[in-house]
Amino acid sequence: MTAVALAVTDGMLHFELALACEVFGADMTGVADPWYRLSVCGPSAVRVGRFRLEPDHGLDRLPHADTVIVPGWADVDQDPPAELIDAVRAAHEAGARVASLCTGAFVLAAAGLLDGRRATTHWAHTRQLAERYPRVTVDPDVLYVDDDSVLTSAGKAAAMDLCLHLVRLDHGASIANTLARRLVVPPHRDGGQAQFVTTPVPAPDNHPLAGLLPWVIARLDHPLTVEDLARQARMSSRNLGRHFRAVTGTTPLQWLLAQRIRHAQELLEITDDTIDSIATATGMGTATTLRRHFSRTVGVPPDTYRRTFRSRTRPRPDNDGQHRQREP
């Protein structure tokens, strides 16, 4: 069982802390056994927003965790407490994976964990992070950054994206999507997507691509092109590209490839289909093409991915008895 510790002290943002508790403290009995063992670590009672929180353990417990999550730090104009910085640094030196949510990146930077690494934080504070810690390569235009054992996210919703990314790394795409459905959040947004788009995030059925995205998801086994998508949406390819960037933060082809890879991950996890069959089912055409794109995107070949997650508990079907594996 993976031990996850939330590192808290006075001045943490309660939204990011609660979000991490919802993900890593969820009851996934029968879906993913074992799940995470979650604990909150901090110095005695702490103030989180308007609430008083009693930690389970002191900060000296952090080095015993497999993953340490640092929620948002409220006052980025002030240095985080030395005891928090030291504990986070000690955890990483002990081999823990360390992730920050939103402005928690300032804690990781103060601990020296971001030196020489790419990192991000809430877009309103990226310049301040870069100026205060010049050895950090701050990327203001992404949702989250996974730099080996150190991960950082942008604000609010992007913190959820990073938490689900961690679940996906540990338990696979199918279980991560099952959890996302329970939390009623999008199952996956790539870390490289923009932090904000040119229009507000639309309601599920209230944007120009509302009819197109489900149509594409249902036809991933087809060799779709941008022209096919534009024709279905009844707009020019150029106009389609603008709408895709505004709604999804990426291009039509990049979005389409991400859906194909995601579907391939789930098929590798929950079926015995051959790589050739999965290549056909995901519209990749050949096993060679699937392996090339899969390895570049996921970081390991399909066969290795399947072996990694084969022993994991398969997700329960949804209420209609079917595994609804793909969502736009």
Side-chain angles (χ1 to χ4, degrees), residues 143-160:
L143 296 177
Y144 58 85
V145 175
D146 182 342
D147 193 333
D148 193 17
S149 60
V150 178
L151 304 92
T152 54
S153 84
K156 306 303 180 185
M160 175 64 80

Side-chain angles (χ1 to χ4, degrees), residues 139-186:
D139 190 338
D141 298 321
V142 295
L143 296 177
Y144 58 85
V145 175
D146 182 342
D147 193 333
D148 193 17
S149 60
V150 178
L151 304 92
T152 54
S153 84
K156 306 303 180 185
M160 175 64 80
D161 292 315
L162 177 54
C163 289
L164 289 175
H165 172 68
L166 292 173
V167 172
R168 187 171 292 101
L169 291 176
D170 297 336
H171 294 278
S174 188
I175 288 176
N177 289 350
T178 297
L179 175 60
R181 282 194 293 271
R182 291 188 175 192
L183 297 175
V184 198
V185 297

Side-chain angles (χ1 to χ4, degrees), residues 215 222-231 240 252-253 256 260:
W215 181 86
H222 290 57
L224 299 172
T225 66
V226 174
E227 289 71 24
D228 293 329
L229 272 59
R231 188 178 306 111
L240 178 75
L253 285 181
L256 179 57
R260 296 191 193 282

Side-chain angles (χ1 to χ4, degrees), residues 36-283:
Y36 299 97
R37 186 174 69 253
L38 177 67
S39 62
V40 178
C41 301
S44 63
V46 298
R47 272 286 169 189
V48 180
R50 298 181 179 180
F51 306 102
R52 185 175 182 273
L53 180 67
E54 290 281 353
D56 303 309
H57 304 283
L59 289 171
D60 57 351
R61 186 74 174 181
L62 293 186
H64 300 280
D66 300 299
T67 297
V68 172
I69 307 292
V70 181
W73 175 246
D75 191 353
V76 295
D77 293 324
Q78 300 293 324
D79 291 331
E83 59 181 337
L84 175 63
I85 295 172
D86 292 342
V88 169
R89 184 189 300 117
H92 186 254
E93 291 174 350
R97 178 176 61 182
V98 180
S100 66
L101 308 180
C102 192
T103 49
F106 283 81
V107 178
L108 271 58
L113 271 58
L114 301 183
D115 289 354
R117 298 181 185 271
R118 281 181 65 239
T120 194
T121 188
H122 191 290
W123 62 267
H125 302 290
T126 51
R127 177 177 294 181
Q128 185 176 359
L129 182 65
E131 291 175 350
R132 187 181 303 178
Y133 302 101
R135 297 184 63 184
V136 181
T137 302
V138 179
D139 190 338
D141 298 321
V142 295
L143 296 177
Y144 58 85
V145 175
D146 182 342
D147 193 333
D148 193 17
S149 60
V150 178
L151 304 92
T152 54
S153 84
K156 306 303 180 185
M160 175 64 80
D161 292 315
L162 177 54
C163 289
L164 289 175
H165 172 68
L166 292 173
V167 172
R168 187 171 292 101
L169 291 176
D170 297 336
H171 294 278
S174 188
I175 288 176
N177 289 350
T178 297
L179 175 60
R181 282 194 293 271
R182 291 188 175 192
L183 297 175
V184 198
V185 297
H188 182 234
R189 292 195 297 172
D190 292 321
Q193 289 189 26
Q195 284 198 30
F196 51 89
V197 292
T198 55
T199 58
V201 176
D205 298 318
N206 187 29
H207 60 83
L209 304 181
L212 177 65
L213 301 187
W215 181 86
V216 175
I217 291 296
R219 292 165 177 78
L220 289 178
D221 56 334
H222 290 57
L224 299 172
T225 66
V226 174
E227 289 71 24
D228 293 329
L229 272 59
R231 188 178 306 111
Q232 177 64 25
R234 297 182 180 179
M235 61 181 68
S236 69
S237 297
R238 185 175 180 179
N239 198 26
L240 178 75
R242 284 198 298 267
H243 284 302
F244 254 91
R245 180 65 69 178
V247 171
T248 72
T250 188
T251 68
L253 285 181
Q254 289 171 332
W255 181 85
L256 179 57
L257 178 60
Q259 308 316 305
R260 296 191 193 282
I261 294 296
R262 183 188 305 165
H263 187 34
Q265 287 178 293
E266 296 191 48
L267 292 176
L268 288 165
E269 293 171 27
I270 65 175
T271 75
D272 298 314
D273 295 350
T274 66
I275 302 300
D276 286 294
S277 297
I278 293 175
T280 300
T282 57

